[in-house]
Amino acid sequence: MFKRKIKKILIRGTNWIGDAVLTLPAVNAVRKRFPDAEISILVKPWVAELFESSPDIDKIIIYDDKKYSRLCGKRKLISDLKKHKFDMAILFQNAFEAAFITYFAGIPVRYGYNTDGRGMLLTHKIALSDETLKKHQVWYYLDLLRPLGITIKKPELSLKIGNKDKAAASNILKKNRIKKDDLIIGINPGASYGPAKRWFPDRYAKLAEMLIERCSAKIILFGSKDDKEVAAEIASLSSHKLINLAGKTSLSEAIALIERSRLFITNDSGLMHIAAALNVPVIAIFGSTSPERTGPYGKGHHIIYKNAECSPCLKRECPTDFKCMDLISVDEVYNDVEATLAVAQHGGSRKGFPYKKITTPAVFLDRDGTICHETPNYLRDINQLRLIPKAADAIRLINKNNIKAVVITNQSAVARGYITEKKLKRINDALSERLKKKNAIINGVYYCPHHPDVGNDLYKKDCDCRKPKPGLIKRAADELSIDIKKSYMIGDKITDIQLAKEAGMKGILVLTGYGKKDYDIIKKDGLKSPAYIAIDIYDAVKWILRDKNKSAKKRF
């Protein structure tokens, strides 16, 4: 398709947080189409944090309005982009300026929709069809990529969160005396587009009171600096204490906090799309905008929308009586909240309210030597990834029995400088994707990038997450609602068996990878034997299912 090899790609990102979230499947599709390319994204500062932990993006270039304003600033931006020597630009932003800048930056392949009179500046101008405009906005960006040979049947939103932001979220919750078993419900009362998209503050306050009194919920108010006033009003109207974090966190911290929420109640906004991308159930209140195009994408969400004769008007401010929002009562929203929590936590039954946390068992899996083959000098490239025979069959068995499959892996190759965390995440994502194609689902991948003796200040540390220490197990249990005592650990090393003992669960040693060598050491040194010695991961899972059945019979 292209006369030259595409080694360096520039993506011009969108300027609004919600739009940027909806580009994530398209960004991931570009990464899969060009797996070896260096991909940079040009975005405004307030959007940049969305991509900081993305394994699909190698570099973030900040479009600073102060630095690049006016004509002289545009010349400076063009000059800065020239230094990168990009081979191709993909323009998710539709503005004329996006094409103008990449044209004069000398990027030989410029790819975008033929909108805003910019067709003459594009080498590949894509016509925008009426069919695309009728679909959800996530398809707007994916359809742009079709001429590149990229077709996605079922796009999925996925948002990565860095360990630093997860730790910051934990500290914020701790300071506000929120425990890990508490029912956290996020409320986002703002909307940057304008007040026509906002449900009334007094109704949000009343809803918060009902959730606290009936469900023992902990309510967190989210929003930007522009939402501080409306959030403060809601907090003042409530007879109970609400945790008002509007304008008090970075976007990354807000994302990590939303992930910890059991439910997110929101107007049509950027944070609504963030919650959806984190698979947090969303109750979305719509008024002046269309939920068909910009509603929360994915399953498990509920939209409350009254089809008033004047809506969707797409206006920033209501010129009449705000009927579209006035028709939405507090009781209606509360009932939807209760029903959504029931589906998420009780399989559809409302029996059990007030809220009770449900935990499930898991099989924790080592990665290299257990699921995929060991690679000399560490697995550093996706092309080296090879599944151990019957690994997918084993994980399908775990899924079939309603047990979570979670990868726990030491990756000191990061500390040693052999691989970056971003590249490691790509490999982990590729492993999950390869298994998913075989209908085997990994519920989470947790890794330790540290080593106590090597690396820089960031990675050289005696951490609590390096096996056999149980830090990763505890984190996975907290985030995925896992009952550790009913769980198992499968691995090919002594450290995996020691980890199982530390965490209080049974450990199974597989004879793949380093298994045979470490089993000889166990026998020679008189170490405590694993609960079972398995030929491979499939044999290990079969034993776990037999063991669980025995335990169930004993209880009865």
Side-chain angles (χ1 to χ4, degrees):
M1 177 180 285
F2 304 112
K3 293 181 180 179
R4 59 191 293 162
K5 186 175 181 181
I6 304 299
K7 296 180 180 178
K8 300 184 76 175
I9 298 172
L10 174 69
I11 293 175
R12 175 57 172 105
T14 56
N15 290 342
W16 296 96
I17 290 173
D19 293 342
V21 173
L22 295 178
T23 68
L24 292 174
V27 171
N28 179 250
V30 173
R31 165 57 63 197
K32 289 180 178 178
R33 173 66 175 81
F34 301 97
D36 299 321
E38 179 184 281
I39 300 178
S40 301
I41 190 163
L42 176 65
V43 286
K44 298 287 187 174
W46 54 86
V47 176
E49 290 179 64
L50 282 172
F51 299 97
E52 283 182 353
S53 298
S54 171
D56 301 320
I57 298 297
D58 297 297
K59 292 180 181 179
I60 298 173
I61 303 172
I62 302 296
Y63 193 141
D64 191 328
D65 285 333
K66 294 179 181 178
K67 185 178 179 181
Y68 297 128
S69 64
R70 300 183 181 181
L71 183 58
C72 59
K74 299 297 181 285
R75 287 175 177 168
K76 170 65 175 168
L77 177 57
I78 289 167
S79 175
D80 289 347
L81 292 178
K82 279 183 177 180
K83 295 173 185 176
H84 290 273
K85 298 181 179 179
F86 291 111
D87 300 299
M88 179 167 70
I90 297 175
L91 310 181
F92 289 142
Q93 194 209 22
N94 284 326
F96 179 87
E97 181 199 73
F100 176 86
I101 288 172
T102 53
Y103 175 85
F104 283 101
I107 301 175
V109 178
R110 300 175 301 282
Y111 200 93
Y113 279 126
N114 185 18
T115 55
D116 206 28
R118 62 185 189 168
M120 61 183 176
L121 300 175
L122 301 171
T123 59
H124 294 68
K125 47 189 177 183
I126 311 304
L128 180 57
S129 69
D130 291 337
E131 182 184 352
T132 295
L133 290 172
K134 292 176 183 176
K135 295 187 291 186
H136 192 281
Q137 196 172 337
V138 73
W139 288 102
Y140 185 88
Y141 307 106
L142 286 167
D143 285 353
L144 172 64
L145 304 177
R146 285 184 181 276
L148 283 172
I150 297 174
T151 55
I152 305 293
K153 291 183 179 179
K154 293 182 179 180
E156 294 181 4
L157 288 181
S158 178
L159 191 56
K160 306 296 182 183
I161 303 174
N163 292 335
K164 182 181 75 172
D165 298 314
K166 288 188 176 185
S170 294
N171 288 334
I172 292 170
L173 294 177
K174 187 176 181 180
K175 286 178 182 178
N176 287 281
R177 298 181 180 179
I178 297 180
K179 300 174 183 177
K180 64 179 182 179
D181 290 338
D182 286 337
L183 169 60
I184 302 172
I185 295 180
I187 290 181
N188 174 43
S192 58
Y193 182 74
K197 294 171 71 173
R198 298 175 189 164
W199 199 41
F200 307 120
D202 60 324
R203 298 190 188 183
Y204 269 124
K206 180 61 178 176
L207 175 66
E209 287 182 345
M210 292 171 69
L211 292 169
I212 291 169
E213 291 168 3
R214 300 183 188 182
C215 303
S216 301
K218 301 290 186 180
I219 305 297
I220 300 178
L221 300 178
F222 288 88
S224 66
K225 292 179 180 179
D226 294 336
D227 302 319
K228 289 175 71 173
E229 187 176 331
V230 66
E233 182 182 357
I234 292 168
S236 68
L237 289 170
S238 174
S239 59
H240 297 286
K241 183 182 178 182
L242 309 182
I243 300 162
N244 183 7
L245 298 181
K248 299 177 183 178
T249 66
S250 66
L251 177 60
S252 296
E253 289 169 344
I255 291 170
L257 286 163
I258 291 171
E259 186 195 36
R260 299 287 290 272
S261 304
R262 293 290 179 180
L263 185 73
F264 199 68
I265 307 167
T266 176
N267 302 321
D268 177 15
S269 63
L271 293 187
M272 174 190 74
H273 293 298
I274 284 173
L278 295 169
N279 291 317
V280 174
V282 172
I283 302 291
I285 300 172
F286 271 73
S288 64
T289 50
S290 170
E292 292 181 0
R293 288 214 67 227
T294 61
Y297 187 82
K299 296 180 180 179
H301 312 303
H302 190 87
I303 294 168
I304 301 176
Y305 174 64
K306 301 300 180 183
N307 193 13
E309 59 272 12
C310 54
S311 67
C313 65
L314 306 179
K315 293 180 179 179
R316 290 179 182 270
E317 296 187 20
C318 178
T320 56
D321 56 1
F322 229 151
K323 187 176 182 180
C324 60
M325 286 297 188
D326 193 38
L327 289 170
I328 299 172
S329 69
V330 175
D331 285 342
E332 179 181 5
V333 178
Y334 176 81
N335 286 335
D336 279 348
V337 168
E338 189 181 70
T340 302
L341 284 174
V343 170
Q345 300 298 333
H346 297 269
S349 170
R350 297 194 189 202
K351 185 178 179 181
F353 277 89
Y355 174 84
K356 180 180 177 183
K357 185 176 180 180
I358 294 177
T359 56
T360 58
V363 174
F364 294 102
L365 303 161
D366 175 53
R367 193 189 77 176
D368 304 325
T370 302
I371 300 175
C372 57
H373 286 282
E374 287 281 355
T375 303
N377 298 318
Y378 301 97
L379 176 56
R380 310 188 198 184
D381 193 281
I382 292 173
N383 294 324
Q384 297 174 310
L385 182 61
R386 293 183 299 123
L387 292 178
I388 284 175
K390 300 186 80 172
D393 296 334
I395 293 168
R396 271 201 307 274
L397 266 181
I398 296 171
N399 302 153
K400 185 179 178 181
N401 284 273
N402 298 316
I403 303 170
K404 289 179 179 174
V406 182
V407 175
I408 303 289
T409 176
N410 285 347
Q411 292 296 328
S412 65
V414 176
R416 297 173 191 275
Y418 296 154
I419 189 174
T420 64
E421 278 201 77
K422 282 193 174 183
K423 196 159 188 180
L424 172 62
K425 287 177 182 177
R426 285 180 202 154
I427 292 172
N428 288 337
D429 288 346
L431 172 63
S432 296
E433 188 67 28
R434 196 167 296 183
L435 288 165
K436 187 177 179 181
K437 287 180 179 178
K438 297 177 181 288
N439 296 316
I441 306 301
I442 294 292
N443 298 103
V445 178
Y446 295 81
Y447 65 89
C448 170
H450 311 118
H451 193 284
D453 302 319
V454 298
N456 55 29
D457 292 340
L458 181 62
Y459 296 115
K460 184 179 179 180
K461 59 172 70 175
D462 188 15
C463 61
D464 70 345
C465 57
R466 181 171 171 79
K467 294 186 289 186
K469 293 183 179 178
L472 291 180
I473 295 285
K474 291 178 180 178
R475 200 177 101 202
D478 182 35
E479 295 177 2
L480 300 176
S481 298
I482 291 169
D483 186 337
I484 296 177
K485 291 181 180 179
K486 295 180 181 177
S487 299
Y488 298 79
M489 178 74 210
I490 302 175
D492 67 319
K493 293 182 181 176
I494 293 171
T495 51
D496 295 310
I497 307 308
Q498 292 172 332
L499 169 62
K501 181 182 177 183
E502 285 285 330
M505 56 187 173
K506 294 179 181 179
I508 299 96
L509 183 75
V510 290
L511 297 180
T512 49
Y514 289 99
K516 291 180 181 178
K517 177 183 173 183
D518 277 26
Y519 182 49
D520 289 339
I521 295 172
I522 289 172
K523 290 190 294 183
K524 180 182 175 183
D525 295 351
L527 301 176
K528 185 175 180 179
S529 295
Y532 181 65
I533 308 296
I535 297 170
D536 55 18
I537 182 176
Y538 187 78
D539 182 29
V541 171
K542 294 284 282 185
W543 180 85
I544 287 171
L545 297 178
R546 291 195 300 271
D547 187 64
K548 283 181 67 64
N549 287 334
K550 286 180 185 176
S551 299
K553 288 177 181 178
K554 285 180 182 178
R555 287 198 299 273
F556 293 99

